[in-house]
Amino acid sequence: MKINHKIQIPLLFLSVILLSVLSCKKDKKEEVEIYTCATCKTTPDALAANNSLNKGIYKGVVIGSTGTIKFDIANGGSTITAVMVLDGVTVNLTSAVAVVAGEPYSAAFTGTMNGSAVSISFSVGATGETPTITSSTIPGHANASFLLTKEVSTALMEAYVGTFSSTKPETGIFNIVLSRNLNTWGVIARVDGANSNTFDNGTIVNNTLVNSKGVTIGTLSGDALNGKFNGRDGIVITVTGKRTL
């Protein structure tokens, strides 16, 4: 029996095309878009000379409603400022209290938000330990809470604004500060409508956030965090967040 080569060749060519198309579709399906914060720093702002001083850079997250805050305590000169972003609104803050070497630093930072006065009192130990917000007056945000950490020249600090939901059911804010260099993280969370906060912390192992009880709460993919884990009483908690600072 003779084979009609004029028919066989086009069929073979068509098979090659179909395989190429299917291969392309498979590749596109497997592509995962990695979120990157376009405005975030990739190296620390903190100067090495301030690593063990009260001067330097302090970063943190805010709950009530949600956002980030960054303090520059004479990091590269004598200027003392802070920038808070709360619910997408940027608030520039300043303080006239000078830093004294070897002593704890405490000062009120003031500015305006939507035309109303804002005051945030910041304190830190003589060597940069235990940065804390001791009080705050923010119009429309009477129950604001903060989680702060000091950035050093060898460890970039990143701040993530996120949310959580659970099968309880509950929803709320889930904001994280972390350092990939130090492999550590801390979170402040609050159920929607509540006034109290929940804090947790842990380590980062291969881009996975694990708390002190050994529970994996989420995985970093670029500048995004996503996770699902079991809480108390069998409640399943889902978290998601993106880096904004």
Side-chain angles (χ1 to χ4, degrees):
M1 180 183 293
K2 293 183 179 180
I3 297 175
N4 191 333
H5 293 285
K6 290 184 179 180
I7 295 175
Q8 188 182 36
I9 293 173
L11 287 175
L12 180 61
F13 183 65
L14 180 60
S15 298
V16 172
I17 292 175
L18 285 172
L19 286 172
S20 298
V21 171
L22 290 172
S23 176
C24 289
K25 286 185 176 180
K26 184 178 180 182
D27 290 342
K28 288 182 179 179
K29 186 177 181 180
E30 292 176 352
E31 288 179 359
V32 178
E33 184 177 352
I34 304 298
Y35 170 76
T36 301
C37 175
T39 59
C40 296
K41 295 294 185 69
T42 57
T43 57
D45 287 318
L47 301 180
N50 300 325
N51 284 351
S52 298
L53 302 179
N54 50 14
K55 297 195 297 183
I57 299 294
Y58 298 86
K59 293 179 180 179
V61 286
V62 189
I63 281 185
S65 296
T66 186
T68 62
I69 192 164
K70 174 184 174 182
F71 290 88
D72 182 335
I73 311 298
N75 182 57
S78 59
T79 302
I80 298 174
T81 61
V83 178
M84 177 175 66
V85 180
L86 193 57
D87 293 342
V89 178
T90 300
V91 183
N92 294 302
L93 305 163
T94 60
S95 177
V97 179
V99 178
V100 178
E103 294 185 9
Y105 179 77
S106 181
F109 286 72
T110 58
T112 59
M113 180 179 185
N114 297 325
S116 298
V118 174
S119 179
I120 297 175
S121 295
F122 169 88
S123 70
V124 67
T127 58
E129 75 278 11
T130 321
T132 307
I133 301 299
T134 56
S135 66
S136 66
T137 301
I138 307 172
H141 304 275
N143 297 312
S145 297
F146 302 77
L147 178 63
L148 293 178
T149 187
K150 180 179 174 69
E151 182 175 271
V152 295
S153 62
T154 55
L156 174 70
M157 300 307 302
E158 305 174 20
Y160 288 68
V161 172
T163 59
F164 75 88
S165 62
S166 78
T167 55
K168 189 172 183 176
E170 283 180 335
T171 58
I173 304 300
F174 193 87
N175 292 348
I176 285 182
V177 179
L178 64 84
S179 171
R180 302 183 203 228
N181 302 90
L182 300 176
N183 293 318
T184 59
W185 60 270
V187 62
I188 179 172
R190 181 187 293 180
V191 175
D192 289 337
N195 292 322
S196 60
N197 307 309
T198 298
F199 295 88
D200 200 0
N201 61 78
T203 58
I204 303 174
V205 182
N206 296 325
N207 288 322
T208 299
L209 276 62
V210 182
N211 70 11
S212 56
K213 295 181 180 179
V215 177
T216 298
I217 69 160
T219 301
L220 292 170
S221 179
D223 288 332
L225 170 72
N226 292 281
K228 181 179 289 187
F229 59 97
N230 293 325
R232 291 179 296 180
D233 303 322
I235 296 171
V236 179
I237 302 170
T238 301
V239 299
T240 182
K242 289 185 176 181
R243 183 184 175 201
T244 61
L245 176 63

